[in-house]
Amino acid sequence: MKHASGLAITLFVAWLLWSGHTAILLVTLGAGSSLLVVWLLHHLGILDPQGQPLHLLLDIARYLPWLLREVVRSNLDVARRILSRDPPISPCVTRIKAMQKTPLGQVIFANSITLTPGTLSLRVRDGYVVVHALTREAGEALQDGEMNRRVLRLEGETP
Amino acid sequence: MTLLLHTLSWPLLLAGAAFCIIGGIGLFRLPDFYTRIHAAGITDTLGAALILIGLALQAEELLVVIKLALVLAFLFFSSPACTHALARAAFSHGLRPLLQDQCFDESFASDYVNWVNEETEEEPTSAS
Amino acid sequence: MMAIPLIAILVTMMLALTRALLGPTVFDRMLAANMFSTKTILFIAVIGFLTGRPAFLDLALLYALLNFVGVVAILKFVRVSGSDLSELSVDRTWEQST
């Protein structure tokens, strides 16, 4: 129920932002359509905490600045490599143990890996993330596990 | 204030434009599909982010800023998902990355071959 | 002034299009198509600001949604249809390509 109402509110706020209408009739229709979507999701049985991790919102806000800094840094690195003569790359495939216990945590980890240019998650399986890295250094930096630990902290004690 | 924001926005827009083009160049300079994904990643993350933030600084209404932020947020969520789906589909279809000989770590090196075989034998039509 | 990012985005789109035409694998083409549509989103947003019509941003978001759904749909299609993958060169080595 908590997730359903949270989702309904999120959808309605999105509706308000996009329509910009304030007439009573239209707002009612917007609210109605938000509820309809929630009901449809419930009917399909895909309304679960995973699809809408509101409880992680604060932790994600804390994790985001670090991730953005990483993204900028690796972007600059990859851009430099592309522009230098005879691109100095050493592609490699490596496997990293995801420390996170929940599927959601592992997805956030794998997505963070992919979002950072220079590393790319090929497959998440059995608690391992198989990573393709543009350079050996990028792969080794991931092995060090800074990102892994930060996502683990983000995940926290949530079930 | 407006002038300040406008002056701030131009470097961002220009840097974003530069990163987009660098990503485009990367599509040609890198040797194979898996490395080109990294080049596309540049334009999807920093290129898009800088241009959208630059535009946000020039916006006159708050609503426009919020919409730009939502577009950016959606890009940041969807682009890794797209990229991962692409890479995984390519891998399970038997497209192998070019690797600089034994540069993956030793513990994985022996498993790599097995893993590759497993991945390829998987029925492509199976629901996953 | 706004013309500079606009032209840069167009140039990137041309580069992506060329890569899509060159291939060589179907996945290269899809990567390029994906990049092309990301640039479309930016292009629409910049055009909106250039012409002073921020409502274009709604279109940009719509394109973002369509792009995501489109890529996943095409990937499913490629997976299920088992398209001809003879163009994939499986056992190239690093030395052969560089």
Side-chain angles (χ1 to χ4, degrees):
Chain A
M1 199 57 218
K2 211 177 83 189
H3 300 298
S5 46
L7 183 61
I9 292 168
T10 319
L11 284 174
F12 185 58
V13 170
W15 186 91
L16 273 183
L17 282 178
W18 257 278
S19 72
H21 288 297
T22 46
I24 295 291
L25 174 69
L26 290 173
V27 171
T28 320
L29 284 176
S33 53
S34 314
L35 289 176
L36 179 69
V37 169
V38 174
W39 180 80
L40 277 175
L41 289 179
H42 178 72
H43 189 68
L44 288 170
I46 50 177
L47 189 63
D48 54 13
Q50 251 189 50
Q52 215 221 346
L54 282 183
H55 55 282
L56 286 181
L57 224 51
L58 270 179
D59 304 288
I60 288 177
R62 238 179 304 155
Y63 170 62
L64 217 52
W66 181 83
L67 179 65
L68 290 182
R69 219 194 61 210
E70 266 326 272
V71 168
V72 172
R73 247 188 28 200
S74 54
N75 258 306
L76 291 173
D77 184 56
V78 176
R80 189 177 55 76
R81 280 171 202 277
I82 287 175
L83 290 182
S84 34
R85 185 189 302 272
D86 195 12
I89 56 171
S90 47
C92 60
V93 173
T94 181
R95 183 173 60 175
I96 291 161
K97 176 124 185 60
M99 297 177 190
Q100 302 77 26
K101 280 164 206 75
T102 60
L104 181 63
Q106 293 180 2
V107 167
I108 294 178
F109 181 48
N111 257 10
S112 309
I113 290 176
T114 313
L115 193 59
T116 333
T119 51
L120 160 75
S121 58
L122 286 177
R123 189 72 206 261
V124 185
R125 214 171 73 172
D126 311 328
Y128 282 97
V129 185
V130 178
V131 175
H132 178 272
L134 185 62
T135 59
R136 195 188 180 133
E137 295 87 66
E140 278 165 358
L142 266 184
Q143 289 282 21
D144 278 350
E146 165 106 51
M147 183 183 275
N148 215 338
R149 275 193 300 277
R150 280 179 186 267
V151 179
L152 181 68
R153 215 178 309 153
L154 178 157
E155 189 189 42
E157 288 87 351
T158 47
Chain B
M1 190 60 192
T2 327
L3 187 69
L4 180 70
L5 286 182
H6 272 241
T7 7
L8 269 177
S9 85
W10 285 115
L12 291 180
L13 280 171
L14 294 182
F19 272 107
C20 279
I21 291 184
I22 291 174
I25 295 171
L27 280 186
F28 291 89
R29 298 211 55 178
L30 296 176
D32 83 323
F33 167 73
Y34 292 93
T35 47
R36 280 177 208 137
I37 285 186
H38 299 296
I42 289 189
T43 64
D44 281 356
T45 56
L46 204 56
L50 286 176
I51 287 186
L52 290 177
I53 294 172
L55 289 180
L57 290 180
Q58 295 199 2
E60 279 139 26
E61 297 167 61
L62 184 64
L63 194 62
V64 173
V65 178
I66 293 174
K67 279 182 182 176
L68 281 168
L70 282 171
V71 172
L72 184 59
F74 185 79
L75 268 183
F76 263 59
F77 276 106
S78 74
S79 90
C82 277
T83 313
H84 172 75
L86 254 173
R88 203 190 133 182
F91 205 97
S92 57
H93 255 135
L95 183 65
R96 295 285 160 265
L98 294 171
L99 298 175
Q100 203 181 41
D101 39 43
Q102 293 292 314
C103 89
F104 35 81
D105 64 313
E106 283 79 31
S107 64
F108 186 43
S110 52
D111 290 342
Y112 180 70
V113 180
N114 292 335
W115 181 76
V116 163
N117 291 336
E118 269 175 56
E119 285 293 310
T120 320
E121 275 161 24
E122 228 173 67
E123 194 59 37
T125 47
S126 70
S128 50
Chain C
M1 255 314 248
M2 210 53 124
I4 297 172
L6 208 60
I7 291 169
I9 292 170
L10 276 175
V11 169
T12 318
M13 283 164 108
M14 290 304 293
L15 289 170
L17 210 55
T18 319
R19 177 42 80 191
L21 290 175
L22 287 178
T25 70
V26 64
F27 300 106
D28 281 293
R29 295 178 213 275
M30 287 190 49
L31 179 70
N34 183 22
M35 190 164 151
F36 188 86
S37 46
T38 319
K39 296 290 94 60
T40 315
I41 299 163
L42 294 182
F43 188 74
I44 295 173
V46 175
I47 282 270
F49 272 78
L50 191 67
T51 55
R53 292 162 75 182
F56 271 38
L57 283 178
D58 301 355
L59 301 182
L61 193 87
L62 192 67
Y63 264 85
L65 293 164
L66 280 177
N67 170 30
F68 181 57
V69 176
V71 168
V72 174
I74 295 177
L75 281 176
K76 271 279 179 236
F77 175 73
V78 171
R79 272 173 87 87
V80 173
S81 73
S83 67
D84 180 26
L85 295 170
S86 53
E87 54 183 338
L88 299 185
S89 43
V90 174
D91 286 320
R92 273 189 310 174
T93 60
W94 178 257
E95 287 74 25
Q96 279 169 335
S97 77
T98 47

